[in-house]
Amino acid sequence: MAKLILSLDGSVIREVPLDKERVTIGRKPYNDIQIENLAVSGEHACIVTILHDSFLEDLGSTNGTLVNGSPIKKHILQNNDVIDIGKYRLKYVGDAPVAGQTPADDFAKTMILRTPAAAKAAAEPKVVVNSQSGVTLPMAAAVALAAPALAAAKPAEPQPLAAIQILNGPSAGKELELTKNLTTLGRPGVQVAVITRRPQGYFITHVEGANFPMVNGKTLDVQAHPLKDHDVIELTGVKMEFFVKSK
């Protein structure tokens, strides 16, 4: 499981496992990681984790968020990335790579593929950091994840393998088999969506960006949308056809 290692002036304060879908960081008390320091905005940043992928977003903070010394607005976290918020430092430690996993095909340099692990839905207690005393205080907090429940009346048959084929642009004609439980598509900081492979079928869900993906010319909403054979997905100006391959 991925985690954050929170430190100040080289001294480790706390390790925070990323076992929730969304973790917020800021000065106000309702944040999951509260840092009581004037350099930290009330709602400074958040990290959204979907299986093995963690996305860091600055929430319009006054003093900004740095990753490895560079200011960011949105960033897909990589193992050992160092996040600076005010005087505090959070080191991102990702999951160990899965044996045999290869980097994503660089399909117009916009796709990121990861081998997923089972996601936990348990809420993590908040962490309060007091910059004057350097003491961390765990606080009990109930967190409800807004995730759609999956019907489980009886075990479903394994889904046939599906794929997507690029229809336009320099990568037109390229095909990607959807062999993973989670495939991340898009351009970080612009528009990102995920296709999940479930017992009930394949679903596409919007992750980040002001514009939502389109399927067959219709703009999606925040809910997971089931994909059907020959659906046409449009994302960051790239059109791709979803199709089911023979078993």
Side-chain angles (χ1 to χ4, degrees):
M1 180 190 303
K3 64 182 177 181
L4 297 174
I5 300 175
L6 178 66
S7 63
L8 176 65
D9 297 330
S11 298
V12 173
I13 297 172
R14 178 83 181 226
E15 292 190 5
V16 183
L18 295 177
D19 58 0
K20 310 175 39 176
E21 184 178 276
R22 180 181 172 91
V23 171
T24 59
I25 306 165
R27 196 176 68 252
K28 293 184 178 180
Y30 52 74
N31 288 285
D32 298 296
I33 301 176
Q34 183 192 359
I35 302 178
E36 295 181 352
N37 183 278
L38 293 178
V40 180
S41 295
E43 300 173 10
H44 198 103
C46 72
I47 296 175
V48 175
T49 299
I50 301 177
L51 300 181
H52 270 209
D53 287 315
S54 292
F55 304 85
L56 170 67
E57 180 178 1
D58 182 89
L59 299 177
S61 66
T62 301
N63 294 313
T65 301
L66 304 180
V67 175
N68 303 326
S70 299
I72 61 94
K73 292 298 181 184
K74 293 180 181 178
H75 176 79
I76 294 183
L77 290 167
Q78 305 296 323
N79 191 40
N80 294 322
D81 274 352
V82 175
I83 306 164
D84 288 308
I85 295 179
K87 295 182 179 180
Y88 289 82
R89 178 160 287 183
L90 298 104
K91 182 178 180 181
Y92 174 78
V93 180
D95 290 326
V98 176
Q101 183 176 332
T102 58
D105 187 75
D106 101 301
F107 235 67
K109 298 185 192 285
T110 64
M111 294 197 163
I112 304 99
L113 306 177
R114 295 281 189 273
T115 302
K120 290 186 178 180
E124 172 67 13
K126 291 186 179 180
V127 178
V128 180
V129 180
N130 186 304
S131 60
Q132 295 178 348
S133 65
V135 175
T136 56
L137 303 173
M139 299 178 63
V143 180
L145 297 181
L150 299 180
K154 60 180 180 179
E157 291 295 322
Q159 288 297 318
L161 182 65
I164 54 174
Q165 184 177 52
I166 303 299
L167 301 178
N168 64 341
S171 298
K174 283 193 175 182
E175 184 179 309
L176 172 69
E177 291 187 345
L178 302 174
T179 58
K180 313 298 184 185
N181 290 337
L182 172 72
T183 301
T184 307
L185 306 174
R187 186 174 294 118
V190 179
Q191 191 178 25
V192 176
V194 294
I195 294 178
T196 53
R197 186 185 188 190
R198 306 177 185 177
Q200 296 82 5
Y202 289 84
F203 293 77
I204 184 169
T205 308
H206 175 74
V207 173
E208 73 167 76
N211 297 319
F212 282 59
M214 300 176 69
V215 174
N216 300 329
K218 181 179 179 181
T219 302
L220 303 184
D221 56 22
V222 296
Q223 302 298 323
H225 178 82
L227 289 170
K228 297 178 181 178
D229 197 20
H230 301 301
D231 275 351
V232 175
I233 302 165
E234 186 170 352
L235 190 73
T236 64
V238 177
K239 290 185 177 181
M240 56 198 87
E241 181 183 1
F242 170 87
F243 62 95
V244 177
K245 305 188 79 171
S246 57
K247 294 185 179 181

